[in-house]
Amino acid sequence: MTRTSLQATSAFYNASPLTRIFRWGLGASQQLWPSLAVRAAYRLFGTPLPPKWISRRRGWSPDWHIEQWPFEDASLTLYSRPVAPHGPVVLLVHGWGGHAGQMLALADQLSAQGLRPVIVEMPAHGRSRGSVSNLPQFARVLEYVTARLQQQGHTLRAVVAHSLSANAGAYAASRGLAAGRLVLLAPPASPLEYTRLFAHVFGLSEATRAAMQRRIEAREGILMPQFEPAAVGPRISLPTLVVHDRQDSINRFADGVAYTEAIAGARLLATEGLGHRKILKDDEVLKQVAAFLA
C-alpha cells in the first residue's frame, strides 16, 4: 500500500527523538508565547533533515574534484571530474535533505554520453556550510551557479533537479535561466501546501502556520504561490522533461502532472513502483534522461 504524503512526512520527522521534543515544545509555546512558537517553527521548517553530517561521511573517488564557493552566509559544494568530457555542462541538483551522492548514477550516465556533469550541494546540505535554507535560496543558488559557470566559459546544456530543487529549477527557468533544457525529477507543486503539511505534523495552529509563512515571505521577498506550476509554467520556454512515479509518497504524482500541463511542450515520463528516490538510480529513467539531453 502506498503511503500518503502526510504519513510519509510524519514518519520522516518522527524518526528523530529530537523532532518529537520540538513538536511538544512548539505545542506548549503556542499557548504560552506565540511569537516564540512562530520563530521556532520558522527555524525548524528551514532545517534540512537528516543532519548534513551524515552525508559528509560518504567517500568520493579521486576522479572527482570537490570545491566550495562562498554563497550568501553559507557555501556551496561543487563536484566535477578534473578529467571529464569537454562537452556541455549538465548541472545536477539534489532535493531537500539530500546530498550530492544521490546524483552520482545520473552523472555517470551523462559522462558516458559525452556530457560534463557538475553536481551542486545546497547550503546546509552535505559538505556545504550553513544550518538553514529554503526554496527561494535554492532558486538563487541555481541562478548564481549557472551564471558563474557561463562566466568560466562553459555552455550549460541543462539543469536536472530533484524534488524541492525541481521546484526551484522551474522558478529559475521562468526567470530566464541560462540553460538549454530542464529536467524536473519528482517536483512538488505547492510550497504553501507543504507548510500546511508541516503544521499538521507538528501540531501547529493555523494562526502559527500563517505567521510562519508570512515570516518566510517577508524575509525572502517572495510569496509562496509564485512558485506554483500555474505561476511559473507559462513563462518557461525551455524543452522540459518531467519524471514522476505514480507511487511517490513524498510529492504526489499529480504534482508532476501539474508541471507537465503548465509548461508548453513538456513531456511526462511516468514510472511505476520507484517512489520518490529510486528514480535517481533506475536504469531506464537514467537512459531516458540522457537521451533527452543528448
Side-chain angles (χ1 to χ4, degrees), residues 27-260:
S29 63
Q30 285 184 110
Q31 303 299 320
L32 303 174
W33 195 350
S35 62
L36 176 62
V38 173
R39 293 197 298 271
Y42 169 81
R43 176 78 183 193
L44 182 59
F45 187 75
T47 301
L49 294 173
K52 63 181 182 178
W53 58 265
I54 294 176
S55 57
R56 280 180 181 159
R57 296 175 180 175
R58 180 185 180 89
W60 284 75
S61 64
D63 64 334
W64 282 92
H65 173 65
I66 303 174
E67 61 181 316
Q68 285 207 339
W69 292 359
F71 184 77
E72 297 182 351
D73 58 353
S75 72
L76 310 172
T77 308
L78 277 78
Y79 301 76
S80 58
R81 287 188 168 102
V83 180
H86 293 289
V89 165
V90 177
L91 198 61
L92 306 177
V93 200
H94 62 80
W96 184 255
H99 57 87
Q102 293 172 329
M103 310 305 290
L104 266 175
L106 182 53
D108 289 339
Q109 181 77 34
L110 298 179
S111 290
Q113 297 286 115
L115 297 169
R116 186 184 185 96
V118 174
I119 307 175
V120 178
E121 217 156 41
M122 291 294 192
H125 290 76
R127 290 175 167 83
S128 297
R129 295 194 303 272
S131 57
V132 294
S133 188
N134 54 44
L135 173 57
Q137 186 181 56
F138 273 31
R140 294 195 298 272
V141 166
L142 294 178
E143 293 177 339
Y144 176 73
V145 172
T146 54
R148 278 283 300 269
L149 290 171
Q150 276 198 320
Q151 187 181 58
Q152 293 173 1
H154 295 290
T155 299
L156 192 64
R157 170 64 60 84
V159 171
V160 181
H162 179 235
S163 197
L164 191 71
S165 286
N167 199 171
Y171 176 76
S174 76
R175 287 164 46 88
L177 186 71
R181 292 184 172 234
L182 180 66
V183 179
L184 307 178
L185 304 171
S190 175
L192 175 59
E193 285 304 314
Y194 189 76
T195 68
R196 292 173 176 154
L197 189 62
F198 176 85
H200 185 92
V201 169
F202 281 94
L204 303 180
S205 68
E206 174 56 21
T208 301
R209 186 213 64 80
M212 180 189 76
Q213 178 185 334
R214 289 193 298 270
R215 186 180 183 89
I216 295 169
E217 292 175 333
R219 290 194 170 219
E220 298 299 326
I222 187 169
L223 303 182
M224 288 186 180
Q226 291 177 258
F227 284 93
E228 297 190 1
V232 302
R235 300 199 303 270
I236 296 175
S237 58
L238 302 179
T240 302
L241 174 67
V242 180
V243 183
H244 216 120
D245 192 81
R246 296 182 186 277
Q247 282 78 48
D248 190 329
S249 61
I250 303 298
N251 298 329
R252 304 172 308 154
F253 177 71
D255 293 350
V257 173
Y259 276 104
T260 308

